[in-house]
Amino acid sequence: MADGKKIATRQGYGEALRELGSLHEDIIVFDADLAGSTQTGMFRSQFPDRHFNCGIAEGNMMAAAAGAAAMGMVAFASSFAMFAAGRAYEQVRNSIGYTRLNVKIGASHGGISVGEDGASHQCLEDFALMRSIPGMVVMSPADAVEAKAMVKAAYEHEGPVYMRFGRSPVPVFHDENSFTFTIGKGEVMRDGTDVAVIANGLLVAEAVEAGKLLAERGISARIINMATIKPLDEEIVLKAARECGRIITCEEHSVVGGLGEAVCALLSEKRPTPVRRIGTNDVFGHSGPAAGLLKEFGLCADNIAKVAEEFVKA
Amino acid sequence: MTATEKKALMVNACKVRMGIIESTHAAKAGHPGGSLSSAELFTYLYFKELNVDPKDPRKRDRDRFVLSKGHCAPGLYAALALRGFFPWEDLKTLRHIDSYLQGHPDMKSIPGVDMSTGSLGQGVSAACGMALAAKRQANPCRVYTLLGDGEIQEGQVWEAMMFAHHYKLDNLCVVIDNNGLQIDGPVDQVMSPYPIPDKLRAFGLETVEIDGHDFEALEGAFDRARTVKGRPFAIVMRTTKGKGVSYMENQVGWHGKAPNDEQCGIALEELNAELARLEAM
């Protein structure tokens, strides 16, 4: 982006936890041998007596976090998205979701941009898994500033929250001094009338770039940052459908069960509108550098612009 | 323990057994076998060990109990009702569509239930989190959890044991009901968890083995648990599945099946006779 500054959203998570820790005595943080990667290590270095490593045992970590929350603490539990949402799904569902306990899951290394570790670690199903749990708030920030604000909003929210952060540095385009974040509210990044692109995570920056490319081709694209997948900002989606008539969703996630399906479900019931979904197409990823993988799987500005152009001209 | 106290506990355990039979009979479903094997344990906890107040079920410094083997809810509910957390008559609504008495413990709807459980292996982890948080909060409460001997086949149980020892949770007391049977048959035929005490000791828990139907043994174990510092405590109870109802004892088929009208009548007759015997003592 303009100033070229790039920071991983997981870093925003770590910084927010550290700031919250000094304000709120009731925060307790759990990690599963990935504190250096998830960035809860930042909290640990300042509040070692409130950070608990659970070892490589995510199921126990999630249910233990629930137990701590049952005692009135606000528990943050972190691992990679693959293990937080995937391996520990049933603990999250039964001990955190069903109980509506105050546990905030900070899942890092979501999506294909995990890169070189390959398919076993590239979680492309976490939105689907977490969306399916009643009452679970599911979010994924576009940049480190939004990540930080999101974590603070999650602390204030009463009940379970799932947040997905990325491994790779991504452009920072929100201004930390003026940015405010509200759970369940989308953000129009660029106005337009021919097509609306609804994106989250690192694809927001790509969608904004696509918007510029499309403008050069005479197409007016509205770009929306949908950091909260659940509860979905229905108003902003329906308004986009009404005013643009075409919707494209973009997510670093399978097209099965994520933002795209959430948008389609809403539109099919309340305002049938043509939709194109950009995501991984029901396939596993593989090893490689993040940038190369994002390009290969069409999770980039060029492909968004291509899909949008074909869609508008169809 | 005085003779009077012991008699009162035995009377209450017998009433808890009646509650288990009446509730599962009314539900036409549920798990009487493992509820009956833990009847003395539930009774001891709610009438002797736990610092709880039915009038203030959410008081901050109350001792916590997590029924990790959540399917034995009929036993827990009977003890809670007998202790005054909710009306005894409500036990007959167990599992009914309009009842708050869910098939497995639900902390949101049932007074006295500290954690929702049912999916095996998770309750013990939640109990660990509670014990850890209690230490952090300087809350003097103790945390108790009950597991089944089949339940400890879940790998998560051992993750929790590692955690409990690692964080020196000496405010945690883990109880294992070794009644020897699980749904598919004897535990050592399905997937042997033995030797249970050796495994617990290897994981760093101070461990005792007792007769789980003997109140004096329960008292000795729980009193000792409170004196141990720096490590969690485990009680392995040898019990009889279906204890107290002749045709259910040691019968694997009574793990998760409710008595019909006739069977319920026979069970209550036996338990009433036992109650009369105890009261005449």
Side-chain angles (χ1 to χ4, degrees):
Chain A
M1 306 301 282
D3 60 358
K5 193 166 74 169
K6 283 187 163 190
I7 304 174
T9 51
R10 62 184 163 129
Q11 192 175 328
Y13 173 54
E15 287 172 10
L17 274 186
R18 192 173 55 195
E19 288 176 23
L20 285 168
S22 54
L23 295 171
H24 308 288
E25 198 54 31
D26 61 354
I27 290 184
I28 185 168
V29 176
F30 295 90
D31 208 304
D33 194 37
L34 289 168
S37 299
T38 64
Q39 303 294 320
T40 68
M42 287 193 216
F43 182 93
R44 180 179 59 192
S45 56
Q46 200 154 334
F47 309 101
D49 56 339
R50 280 195 275 158
H51 183 283
F52 297 93
N53 208 323
C54 298
I56 310 164
E58 297 81 8
N60 178 61
M61 173 176 74
M62 291 301 177
M71 296 295 288
M73 304 206 77
V74 181
F76 283 79
S78 282
S79 181
F80 287 177
M82 193 71 249
F83 316 122
R87 188 187 196 92
Y89 171 78
E90 204 252 351
Q91 284 82 2
V92 173
R93 193 263 189 198
N94 275 320
S95 289
I96 298 173
Y98 177 47
T99 57
R100 290 188 220 131
L101 283 165
N102 220 359
V103 178
K104 320 299 172 186
I105 301 162
S108 75
H109 292 60
I112 205 156
S113 58
V114 164
E116 290 81 353
D117 275 351
S120 62
H121 284 56
Q122 293 161 344
C123 189
L124 299 163
E125 305 84 15
D126 51 336
F127 298 161
L129 288 164
M130 293 295 110
R131 268 183 74 217
S132 70
I133 298 173
M136 180 68 76
V137 171
V138 183
M139 303 191 284
S140 176
D143 69 2
V145 170
E146 185 169 54
K148 222 166 150 176
M150 177 182 286
V151 176
K152 292 175 182 175
Y155 170 81
E156 299 296 337
H157 176 83
E158 184 73 30
V161 173
Y162 177 84
M163 292 171 283
R164 182 226 261 197
F165 307 108
R167 170 187 180 233
S168 307
V170 290
V172 175
F173 47 85
H174 288 111
D175 175 5
E176 185 155 14
N177 299 313
S178 62
F179 181 68
T180 56
F181 179 81
T182 307
I183 292 174
K185 287 285 167 212
E187 175 191 16
V188 176
M189 308 297 298
R190 177 191 181 97
D191 208 2
T193 51
D194 294 331
V195 60
V197 180
I198 302 174
N200 66 20
L202 55 71
L203 282 173
V204 174
E206 296 297 322
V208 169
E209 286 304 309
K212 291 177 194 163
L213 295 173
L214 289 164
E216 288 164 15
R217 299 172 205 172
I219 295 168
S220 164
R222 180 178 302 184
I223 311 297
I224 295 168
N225 169 18
M226 196 67 95
T228 311
I229 299 149
K230 184 184 172 185
L232 190 68
D233 185 344
E234 298 194 354
E235 202 179 315
I236 205 169
V237 176
L238 294 172
K239 187 167 185 282
R242 206 162 52 237
E243 295 174 1
C244 305
R246 298 177 193 88
I247 303 277
I248 297 174
T249 60
C250 305
E251 58 195 318
E252 198 191 350
H253 186 276
S254 170
V255 293
V256 177
L259 173 67
E261 282 197 357
V263 167
C264 286
L266 169 71
L267 291 174
S268 64
E269 288 186 358
K270 298 202 174 157
R271 190 179 179 92
T273 305
V275 176
R276 298 284 183 271
R277 287 173 297 151
I278 295 175
T280 53
N281 292 303
D282 203 18
V283 291
F284 292 106
H286 58 79
S287 291
L293 289 169
L294 289 166
K295 210 168 180 56
E296 178 186 331
F297 286 85
L299 306 172
C300 56
D302 286 348
N303 188 52
I304 296 168
K306 180 167 164 271
V307 170
E309 194 173 1
E310 286 169 5
F311 194 13
V312 169
K313 290 179 178 167
Chain B
M1 183 179 292
T2 65
T4 318
E5 204 177 4
K6 186 175 170 184
K7 179 181 154 181
L9 287 167
M10 290 169 81
V11 164
N12 281 337
C14 191
K15 289 177 180 168
V16 165
R17 289 198 161 90
M18 290 171 159
I20 292 165
I21 295 302
E22 287 174 14
S23 61
T24 53
H25 169 252
K28 297 186 172 65
H31 297 80
S35 296
L36 290 167
S37 63
S38 295
E40 278 78 15
L41 186 271
F42 289 128
T43 304
Y44 190 81
L45 286 175
Y46 283 95
F47 287 88
K48 176 87 174 156
E49 179 68 16
L50 297 181
N51 167 25
V52 289
D53 180 1
K55 292 191 195 71
D56 187 8
R58 296 266 162 215
K59 72 169 178 166
R60 188 179 173 276
D61 67 346
R62 72 186 185 281
D63 289 335
R64 267 65 170 183
F65 174 62
V66 179
L67 181 60
S68 199
K69 58 164 189 163
H71 56 283
C72 296
L76 172 62
Y77 295 169
L80 286 170
L82 197 59
R83 185 74 168 79
F85 281 89
F86 48 81
W88 181 262
E89 307 82 73
D90 290 1
L91 291 178
K92 288 195 173 176
T93 70
L94 173 70
R95 290 176 172 241
H96 289 188
I97 199 161
D98 53 355
S99 175
Y100 62 98
L101 293 178
Q102 296 297 297
H104 292 82
D106 175 11
M107 65 186 288
K108 298 192 303 299
S109 67
I110 307 172
V113 171
D114 292 316
M115 183 68 200
S116 303
T117 51
S119 178
L120 298 176
Q122 296 189 30
V124 61
S125 295
C128 285
M130 288 176 175
L132 184 80
K135 280 182 172 284
R136 170 75 211 148
Q137 296 167 319
N139 185 330
C141 74
R142 290 179 59 78
V143 182
Y144 299 80
T145 183
L146 173 65
L147 295 89
D149 52 2
E151 178 179 10
I152 64 174
Q153 291 159 351
E154 287 280 5
Q156 183 176 347
V157 169
W158 303 99
E159 297 180 2
M161 298 303 176
M162 249 187 289
F163 182 97
H165 176 250
H166 185 83
Y167 288 112
K168 302 181 171 61
L169 301 180
D170 51 17
N171 53 349
L172 176 72
C173 186
V174 174
V175 185
I176 295 176
D177 182 357
N178 183 201
N179 61 33
L181 297 174
Q182 60 188 119
I183 302 180
D184 275 354
V187 290
D188 55 352
Q189 286 179 26
V190 175
M191 178 50 64
S192 177
Y194 298 128
I196 300 171
D198 292 6
K199 286 186 172 120
L200 292 166
R201 288 187 186 114
F203 275 76
L205 285 83
E206 180 94 14
T207 305
V208 296
E209 283 180 272
I210 61 164
D211 173 351
H213 300 305
D214 177 345
F215 280 112
E216 278 158 349
L218 284 164
E219 182 182 49
F222 282 111
D223 285 353
R224 185 169 154 200
R226 268 180 270 110
T227 67
V228 173
K229 298 293 167 216
R231 56 166 65 194
F233 195 83
I235 301 171
V236 179
M237 309 191 299
R238 289 180 307 274
T239 62
T240 300
K241 195 152 184 171
K243 174 81 173 173
V245 176
S246 60
Y247 62 85
M248 288 189 182
E249 288 192 2
N250 285 319
Q251 297 302 310
V252 72
W254 288 102
H255 170 88
K257 189 176 76 173
N260 62 24
D261 292 351
E262 189 193 345
Q263 290 160 334
C264 178
I266 295 167
L268 290 178
E269 208 171 291
E270 290 180 9
L271 291 167
N272 271 312
E274 173 66 3
L275 191 61
R277 188 188 71 80
L278 289 169
E279 282 173 341
M281 265 165 63

